[in-house]
Amino acid sequence: MARSWTWTETDAAISEPIRAWLPERVFDIHAHLYRTADLTLAKASLFAEGPPAVTIEVWREHTERQLGAGRVVGGLFFPMPLAKPDQVDANNAFLVDQLKGAPESRGLLLVHPESCRDRIAEALAGDVVAGFKVYHTYSRDRPTFEASPASFLPEWAWQLADAHRSVITLHIVKRRALADPGNQAYLRDRCRQYPGAKLILAHAARGFH
């Protein structure tokens, strides 16, 4: 796993031809900022074996190795959903602090069913927060990988996103992902009910093979 943080000759060989067809300016729409001290980690994991703080500077260093110096102009950042509920506020605070010096970038707050709506709404009123990131591990359903989005995406998050025309980045689960009838019905219903919300289905709605 430690090799994941090491730039190798193989990485360079793969990256070089990719750069030829990328645009001159790239905006990274799915990137994570975090401190390992704010997460609950297994000892043998990519995150535990990486730097103790993944800042915007660390993100830029590693992405520019792949894409070329000066090409990455900004990002849409959010915390890693590897924090217990009582650790989430610290993760969000670190994210917001990082974004204060990055006017070209924006952030999504990590939100779960026990999050404080008023605190989230206050942060959303600022200049750096563009919406929310939610994740199935905060569902009370078991196993969480079969959880309905409604069990980990609070209804008030939809309401705030609709009112502020903000983003919700949703990593859908269940075995059939976007082909699951329950997921389809939920997404259609909420998008019709809250047309101002901008829904992003992470990782191509889990449509990759």
Side-chain angles (χ1 to χ4, degrees):
M1 294 295 289
R3 290 196 304 272
S4 297
W5 285 95
T6 302
W7 184 252
T8 67
E9 292 181 1
T10 300
D11 294 321
I14 292 171
S15 298
E16 186 174 353
I18 291 175
R19 296 177 188 176
W21 54 263
L22 285 174
E24 288 303 312
R25 292 164 59 83
V26 175
F27 187 89
D28 186 348
I29 199 170
H30 189 122
H32 297 280
L33 302 178
Y34 58 88
R35 295 175 297 196
T36 56
D38 296 330
L39 305 177
T40 300
L41 300 173
K43 290 184 179 179
S45 72
L46 168 67
F47 309 101
E49 295 173 1
V54 176
T55 62
I56 287 181
E57 289 75 19
V58 170
W59 161 82
R60 188 175 298 279
E61 174 190 352
H62 285 269
T63 54
E64 288 192 344
R65 283 178 181 174
Q66 294 177 308
L67 305 181
R71 177 170 268 168
V72 183
V73 297
L76 182 64
F77 298 101
F78 25 102
M80 282 301 305
L82 298 175
K84 293 180 179 179
D86 62 358
Q87 296 171 307
V88 167
D89 286 348
N91 279 266
N92 284 336
F94 176 72
L95 174 79
V96 170
D97 186 63
Q98 284 290 303
L99 290 166
K100 288 177 181 177
E104 73 286 352
S105 297
R106 293 293 182 271
L108 303 181
L109 299 178
L110 186 58
V111 168
H112 60 86
E114 298 173 26
S115 294
C116 174
R117 173 178 177 152
D118 290 344
R119 185 180 297 125
I120 297 298
E122 181 180 355
L124 189 62
D127 296 331
V128 300
V129 176
F132 316 112
K133 164 67 177 175
V134 296
Y135 206 62
H136 67 92
T137 52
Y138 296 105
S139 172
R140 293 182 179 179
D141 293 352
R142 294 292 183 271
T144 67
F145 204 78
E146 292 297 325
S148 164
S151 70
F152 59 91
L153 201 175
E155 197 72 11
W156 55 259
W158 281 106
Q159 295 166 359
L160 289 176
D162 182 48
H164 291 270
R165 303 190 66 81
S166 299
V167 168
I168 297 175
T169 293
L170 169 63
H171 181 118
I172 58 172
V173 287
K174 297 188 178 182
R175 183 177 60 85
R176 297 182 65 195
L178 198 56
D180 181 87
N183 281 341
Q184 293 174 5
Y186 174 86
L187 294 174
R188 283 197 305 266
D189 175 75
R190 295 309 191 278
C191 287
R192 288 170 176 161
Q193 187 174 354
Y194 303 108
K198 298 175 175 65
L199 180 66
I200 297 174
L201 297 178
H203 309 297
R206 283 185 52 238
F208 44 78
H209 65 74

Short mmCIF file of all heavy atoms in Angstrom, two decimals, residues 143-185:
data_model
loop_
_atom_site.label_atom_id
_atom_site.label_comp_id
_atom_site.label_asym_id
_atom_site.label_seq_id
_atom_site.Cartn_x
_atom_site.Cartn_y
_atom_site.Cartn_z
N PRO A 143 -26.58 -4.37 6.07
CA PRO A 143 -25.28 -3.73 5.88
C PRO A 143 -25.45 -2.38 5.20
O PRO A 143 -26.37 -2.20 4.39
CB PRO A 143 -24.53 -4.72 4.96
CG PRO A 143 -25.62 -5.38 4.18
CD PRO A 143 -26.78 -5.50 5.14
N THR A 144 -24.56 -1.45 5.49
CA THR A 144 -24.75 -0.11 4.96
C THR A 144 -24.62 -0.08 3.44
O THR A 144 -25.16 0.82 2.79
CB THR A 144 -23.75 0.90 5.56
OG1 THR A 144 -22.42 0.59 5.13
CG2 THR A 144 -23.82 0.88 7.08
N PHE A 145 -23.94 -1.06 2.85
CA PHE A 145 -23.78 -1.04 1.40
C PHE A 145 -25.09 -1.37 0.68
O PHE A 145 -25.19 -1.23 -0.53
CB PHE A 145 -22.69 -2.01 0.95
CG PHE A 145 -22.09 -1.64 -0.38
CD1 PHE A 145 -21.16 -0.61 -0.48
CD2 PHE A 145 -22.49 -2.28 -1.55
CE1 PHE A 145 -20.63 -0.24 -1.70
CE2 PHE A 145 -21.96 -1.91 -2.78
CZ PHE A 145 -21.03 -0.89 -2.86
N GLU A 146 -26.11 -1.76 1.43
CA GLU A 146 -27.44 -1.97 0.86
C GLU A 146 -28.42 -0.89 1.34
O GLU A 146 -29.63 -1.05 1.25
CB GLU A 146 -27.97 -3.36 1.22
CG GLU A 146 -27.20 -4.51 0.57
CD GLU A 146 -27.31 -4.48 -0.96
OE1 GLU A 146 -28.38 -4.11 -1.47
OE2 GLU A 146 -26.31 -4.82 -1.63
N ALA A 147 -27.90 0.22 1.84
CA ALA A 147 -28.73 1.26 2.44
C ALA A 147 -29.42 2.12 1.38
O ALA A 147 -28.87 2.41 0.32
CB ALA A 147 -27.88 2.14 3.35
N SER A 148 -30.62 2.54 1.72
CA SER A 148 -31.32 3.53 0.90
C SER A 148 -30.69 4.89 1.11
O SER A 148 -30.27 5.23 2.22
CB SER A 148 -32.79 3.59 1.31
OG SER A 148 -33.41 4.77 0.79
N PRO A 149 -30.61 5.73 0.06
CA PRO A 149 -30.05 7.08 0.24
C PRO A 149 -30.75 7.86 1.35
O PRO A 149 -30.10 8.65 2.04
CB PRO A 149 -30.23 7.73 -1.12
CG PRO A 149 -30.29 6.61 -2.09
CD PRO A 149 -30.96 5.48 -1.35
N ALA A 150 -32.04 7.64 1.52
CA ALA A 150 -32.79 8.39 2.53
C ALA A 150 -32.28 8.11 3.94
O ALA A 150 -32.49 8.91 4.85
CB ALA A 150 -34.27 8.06 2.44
N SER A 151 -31.60 6.98 4.14
CA SER A 151 -31.14 6.62 5.48
C SER A 151 -29.84 7.31 5.86
O SER A 151 -29.44 7.28 7.03
CB SER A 151 -30.95 5.10 5.57
OG SER A 151 -29.85 4.66 4.79
N PHE A 152 -29.17 7.94 4.90
CA PHE A 152 -27.93 8.66 5.24
C PHE A 152 -27.85 10.05 4.63
O PHE A 152 -26.90 10.79 4.90
CB PHE A 152 -26.69 7.83 4.86
CG PHE A 152 -26.57 7.45 3.40
CD1 PHE A 152 -25.90 8.27 2.51
CD2 PHE A 152 -27.10 6.26 2.93
CE1 PHE A 152 -25.76 7.91 1.17
CE2 PHE A 152 -26.97 5.88 1.60
CZ PHE A 152 -26.31 6.71 0.71
N LEU A 153 -28.83 10.45 3.84
CA LEU A 153 -28.89 11.80 3.29
C LEU A 153 -30.08 12.51 3.92
O LEU A 153 -31.23 12.26 3.55
CB LEU A 153 -29.05 11.74 1.76
CG LEU A 153 -28.64 12.97 0.95
CD1 LEU A 153 -28.76 12.68 -0.55
CD2 LEU A 153 -29.41 14.22 1.28
N PRO A 154 -29.85 13.39 4.89
CA PRO A 154 -30.97 14.03 5.60
C PRO A 154 -31.85 14.86 4.65
O PRO A 154 -31.34 15.49 3.73
CB PRO A 154 -30.27 14.94 6.62
CG PRO A 154 -28.87 14.44 6.71
CD PRO A 154 -28.53 13.84 5.39
N GLU A 155 -33.14 14.84 4.91
CA GLU A 155 -34.07 15.60 4.07
C GLU A 155 -33.75 17.10 4.12
O GLU A 155 -33.89 17.80 3.11
CB GLU A 155 -35.51 15.35 4.52
CG GLU A 155 -36.55 15.76 3.50
CD GLU A 155 -36.62 14.83 2.30
OE1 GLU A 155 -36.01 13.74 2.34
OE2 GLU A 155 -37.30 15.19 1.32
N TRP A 156 -33.29 17.56 5.27
CA TRP A 156 -32.98 19.00 5.37
C TRP A 156 -31.79 19.39 4.49
O TRP A 156 -31.66 20.55 4.09
CB TRP A 156 -32.73 19.43 6.82
CG TRP A 156 -31.68 18.67 7.58
CD1 TRP A 156 -31.88 17.69 8.50
CD2 TRP A 156 -30.25 18.87 7.52
NE1 TRP A 156 -30.68 17.25 9.02
CE2 TRP A 156 -29.68 17.97 8.43
CE3 TRP A 156 -29.42 19.72 6.80
CZ2 TRP A 156 -28.30 17.87 8.64
CZ3 TRP A 156 -28.04 19.64 6.99
CH2 TRP A 156 -27.50 18.73 7.90
N ALA A 157 -30.92 18.42 4.17
CA ALA A 157 -29.83 18.73 3.25
C ALA A 157 -30.37 19.02 1.85
O ALA A 157 -29.89 19.92 1.16
CB ALA A 157 -28.83 17.58 3.21
N TRP A 158 -31.37 18.26 1.43
CA TRP A 158 -32.05 18.57 0.17
C TRP A 158 -32.67 19.96 0.21
O TRP A 158 -32.59 20.72 -0.76
CB TRP A 158 -33.13 17.53 -0.11
CG TRP A 158 -32.66 16.23 -0.66
CD1 TRP A 158 -32.58 15.03 0.00
CD2 TRP A 158 -32.22 15.96 -2.00
NE1 TRP A 158 -32.12 14.05 -0.83
CE2 TRP A 158 -31.90 14.59 -2.07
CE3 TRP A 158 -32.08 16.75 -3.14
CZ2 TRP A 158 -31.44 13.99 -3.24
CZ3 TRP A 158 -31.61 16.17 -4.31
CH2 TRP A 158 -31.30 14.80 -4.35
N GLN A 159 -33.32 20.28 1.33
CA GLN A 159 -33.99 21.58 1.45
C GLN A 159 -32.99 22.73 1.35
O GLN A 159 -33.23 23.72 0.66
CB GLN A 159 -34.75 21.62 2.78
CG GLN A 159 -35.90 20.63 2.85
CD GLN A 159 -36.43 20.43 4.26
OE1 GLN A 159 -35.92 21.02 5.22
NE2 GLN A 159 -37.44 19.59 4.41
N LEU A 160 -31.85 22.60 2.04
CA LEU A 160 -30.82 23.64 1.97
C LEU A 160 -30.21 23.73 0.57
O LEU A 160 -29.99 24.83 0.05
CB LEU A 160 -29.73 23.37 3.00
CG LEU A 160 -30.08 23.57 4.47
CD1 LEU A 160 -28.91 23.15 5.36
CD2 LEU A 160 -30.46 25.02 4.74
N ALA A 161 -29.94 22.59 -0.03
CA ALA A 161 -29.37 22.59 -1.38
C ALA A 161 -30.33 23.22 -2.38
O ALA A 161 -29.91 23.94 -3.29
CB ALA A 161 -29.01 21.16 -1.79
N ASP A 162 -31.61 22.97 -2.22
CA ASP A 162 -32.60 23.56 -3.11
C ASP A 162 -32.66 25.07 -2.93
O ASP A 162 -32.66 25.83 -3.91
CB ASP A 162 -33.97 22.94 -2.80
CG ASP A 162 -35.07 23.45 -3.71
OD1 ASP A 162 -34.87 23.48 -4.94
OD2 ASP A 162 -36.14 23.82 -3.19
N ALA A 163 -32.65 25.52 -1.69
CA ALA A 163 -32.75 26.96 -1.41
C ALA A 163 -31.52 27.72 -1.87
O ALA A 163 -31.62 28.87 -2.34
CB ALA A 163 -32.97 27.17 0.09
N HIS A 164 -30.34 27.10 -1.76
CA HIS A 164 -29.08 27.78 -2.09
C HIS A 164 -28.54 27.39 -3.46
O HIS A 164 -27.47 27.85 -3.84
CB HIS A 164 -28.03 27.47 -1.03
CG HIS A 164 -28.32 28.08 0.31
ND1 HIS A 164 -27.89 29.33 0.67
CD2 HIS A 164 -29.03 27.60 1.37
CE1 HIS A 164 -28.30 29.60 1.91
NE2 HIS A 164 -28.98 28.57 2.36
N ARG A 165 -29.26 26.53 -4.17
CA ARG A 165 -28.79 25.99 -5.46
C ARG A 165 -27.41 25.38 -5.30
O ARG A 165 -26.48 25.66 -6.08
CB ARG A 165 -28.80 27.08 -6.55
CG ARG A 165 -30.17 27.72 -6.75
CD ARG A 165 -30.23 28.60 -7.96
NE ARG A 165 -30.09 27.82 -9.20
CZ ARG A 165 -31.07 27.14 -9.79
NH1 ARG A 165 -32.29 27.13 -9.24
NH2 ARG A 165 -30.86 26.49 -10.91
N SER A 166 -27.30 24.51 -4.30
CA SER A 166 -26.02 23.91 -3.93
C SER A 166 -25.91 22.46 -4.41
O SER A 166 -26.88 21.85 -4.83
CB SER A 166 -25.84 23.97 -2.41
OG SER A 166 -25.83 25.30 -1.97
N VAL A 167 -24.71 21.94 -4.28
CA VAL A 167 -24.37 20.60 -4.73
C VAL A 167 -24.60 19.56 -3.64
O VAL A 167 -24.34 19.82 -2.47
CB VAL A 167 -22.89 20.56 -5.17
CG1 VAL A 167 -22.41 19.13 -5.39
CG2 VAL A 167 -22.69 21.39 -6.43
N ILE A 168 -25.09 18.40 -4.03
CA ILE A 168 -25.05 17.20 -3.18
C ILE A 168 -24.29 16.14 -3.97
O ILE A 168 -24.72 15.76 -5.07
CB ILE A 168 -26.45 16.67 -2.83
CG1 ILE A 168 -27.24 17.69 -2.01
CG2 ILE A 168 -26.34 15.35 -2.08
CD1 ILE A 168 -28.68 17.27 -1.73
N THR A 169 -23.17 15.68 -3.44
CA THR A 169 -22.44 14.57 -4.06
C THR A 169 -22.81 13.29 -3.33
O THR A 169 -22.55 13.15 -2.13
CB THR A 169 -20.92 14.80 -4.03
OG1 THR A 169 -20.60 15.89 -4.88
CG2 THR A 169 -20.17 13.57 -4.53
N LEU A 170 -23.44 12.39 -4.05
CA LEU A 170 -24.01 11.17 -3.47
C LEU A 170 -23.35 9.95 -4.08
O LEU A 170 -23.37 9.77 -5.31
CB LEU A 170 -25.52 11.13 -3.74
CG LEU A 170 -26.27 9.82 -3.45
CD1 LEU A 170 -26.20 9.47 -1.98
CD2 LEU A 170 -27.72 9.94 -3.92
N HIS A 171 -22.76 9.12 -3.25
CA HIS A 171 -22.22 7.83 -3.67
C HIS A 171 -23.31 6.79 -3.41
O HIS A 171 -23.49 6.35 -2.28
CB HIS A 171 -20.95 7.52 -2.87
CG HIS A 171 -20.28 6.22 -3.22
ND1 HIS A 171 -19.00 6.18 -3.72
CD2 HIS A 171 -20.70 4.95 -3.16
CE1 HIS A 171 -18.66 4.93 -3.94
NE2 HIS A 171 -19.67 4.16 -3.60
N ILE A 172 -24.07 6.44 -4.45
CA ILE A 172 -25.15 5.49 -4.24
C ILE A 172 -24.59 4.09 -4.00
O ILE A 172 -23.52 3.74 -4.50
CB ILE A 172 -26.16 5.47 -5.41
CG1 ILE A 172 -25.46 5.13 -6.73
CG2 ILE A 172 -26.91 6.78 -5.51
CD1 ILE A 172 -26.43 4.91 -7.88
N VAL A 173 -25.34 3.32 -3.23
CA VAL A 173 -24.94 1.94 -2.97
C VAL A 173 -26.06 1.00 -3.41
O VAL A 173 -26.83 1.34 -4.31
CB VAL A 173 -24.56 1.76 -1.47
CG1 VAL A 173 -23.23 2.42 -1.18
CG2 VAL A 173 -25.63 2.31 -0.53
N LYS A 174 -26.14 -0.15 -2.82
CA LYS A 174 -26.96 -1.29 -3.20
C LYS A 174 -26.29 -2.03 -4.36
O LYS A 174 -25.57 -1.44 -5.17
CB LYS A 174 -28.39 -0.90 -3.57
CG LYS A 174 -29.16 -0.27 -2.40
CD LYS A 174 -30.62 -0.08 -2.77
CE LYS A 174 -31.40 0.48 -1.60
NZ LYS A 174 -32.84 0.64 -1.91
N ARG A 175 -26.52 -3.31 -4.40
CA ARG A 175 -25.79 -4.18 -5.34
C ARG A 175 -25.95 -3.73 -6.78
O ARG A 175 -25.00 -3.76 -7.56
CB ARG A 175 -26.27 -5.63 -5.18
CG ARG A 175 -25.53 -6.63 -6.04
CD ARG A 175 -26.01 -8.05 -5.78
NE ARG A 175 -27.43 -8.18 -6.08
CZ ARG A 175 -27.91 -8.44 -7.30
NH1 ARG A 175 -27.09 -8.57 -8.33
NH2 ARG A 175 -29.21 -8.55 -7.50
N ARG A 176 -27.15 -3.28 -7.17
CA ARG A 176 -27.39 -2.91 -8.57
C ARG A 176 -27.19 -1.42 -8.84
O ARG A 176 -27.41 -0.96 -9.97
CB ARG A 176 -28.81 -3.35 -8.97
CG ARG A 176 -29.02 -4.86 -8.93
CD ARG A 176 -30.41 -5.23 -9.39
NE ARG A 176 -30.60 -4.90 -10.80
CZ ARG A 176 -31.80 -4.85 -11.39
NH1 ARG A 176 -32.89 -5.09 -10.69
NH2 ARG A 176 -31.89 -4.55 -12.68
N ALA A 177 -26.80 -0.67 -7.83
CA ALA A 177 -26.48 0.75 -7.99
C ALA A 177 -27.61 1.50 -8.69
O ALA A 177 -28.74 1.49 -8.22
CB ALA A 177 -25.15 0.90 -8.73
N LEU A 178 -27.33 2.15 -9.81
CA LEU A 178 -28.34 2.97 -10.47
C LEU A 178 -29.45 2.13 -11.10
O LEU A 178 -30.52 2.65 -11.42
CB LEU A 178 -27.68 3.85 -11.55
CG LEU A 178 -28.49 5.05 -12.04
CD1 LEU A 178 -28.91 5.95 -10.89
CD2 LEU A 178 -27.71 5.84 -13.08
N ALA A 179 -29.23 0.84 -11.28
CA ALA A 179 -30.27 -0.05 -11.81
C ALA A 179 -31.25 -0.50 -10.73
O ALA A 179 -32.25 -1.15 -11.04
CB ALA A 179 -29.64 -1.28 -12.47
N ASP A 180 -30.99 -0.15 -9.47
CA ASP A 180 -31.88 -0.54 -8.39
C ASP A 180 -33.16 0.29 -8.42
O ASP A 180 -33.10 1.53 -8.42
CB ASP A 180 -31.18 -0.34 -7.04
CG ASP A 180 -32.04 -0.76 -5.87
OD1 ASP A 180 -32.00 -1.94 -5.51
OD2 ASP A 180 -32.78 0.10 -5.34
N PRO A 181 -34.34 -0.34 -8.48
CA PRO A 181 -35.59 0.43 -8.56
C PRO A 181 -35.79 1.41 -7.40
O PRO A 181 -36.32 2.50 -7.59
CB PRO A 181 -36.67 -0.65 -8.58
CG PRO A 181 -35.98 -1.88 -9.09
CD PRO A 181 -34.58 -1.79 -8.56
N GLY A 182 -35.37 1.01 -6.20
CA GLY A 182 -35.50 1.90 -5.06
C GLY A 182 -34.64 3.15 -5.20
O GLY A 182 -35.08 4.26 -4.88
N ASN A 183 -33.42 2.98 -5.67
CA ASN A 183 -32.56 4.13 -5.92
C ASN A 183 -33.16 5.04 -6.99
O ASN A 183 -33.16 6.26 -6.87
CB ASN A 183 -31.17 3.68 -6.36
CG ASN A 183 -30.29 3.23 -5.19
OD1 ASN A 183 -30.56 3.57 -4.04
ND2 ASN A 183 -29.25 2.48 -5.49
N GLN A 184 -33.66 4.44 -8.06
CA GLN A 184 -34.25 5.22 -9.15
C GLN A 184 -35.43 6.05 -8.64
O GLN A 184 -35.54 7.25 -8.94
CB GLN A 184 -34.71 4.29 -10.27
CG GLN A 184 -33.59 3.59 -11.00
CD GLN A 184 -34.11 2.59 -12.00
OE1 GLN A 184 -35.32 2.47 -12.22
NE2 GLN A 184 -33.20 1.85 -12.63
N ALA A 185 -36.32 5.42 -7.88
CA ALA A 185 -37.51 6.12 -7.39
C ALA A 185 -37.11 7.26 -6.45
O ALA A 185 -37.67 8.36 -6.52
CB ALA A 185 -38.43 5.14 -6.66
#
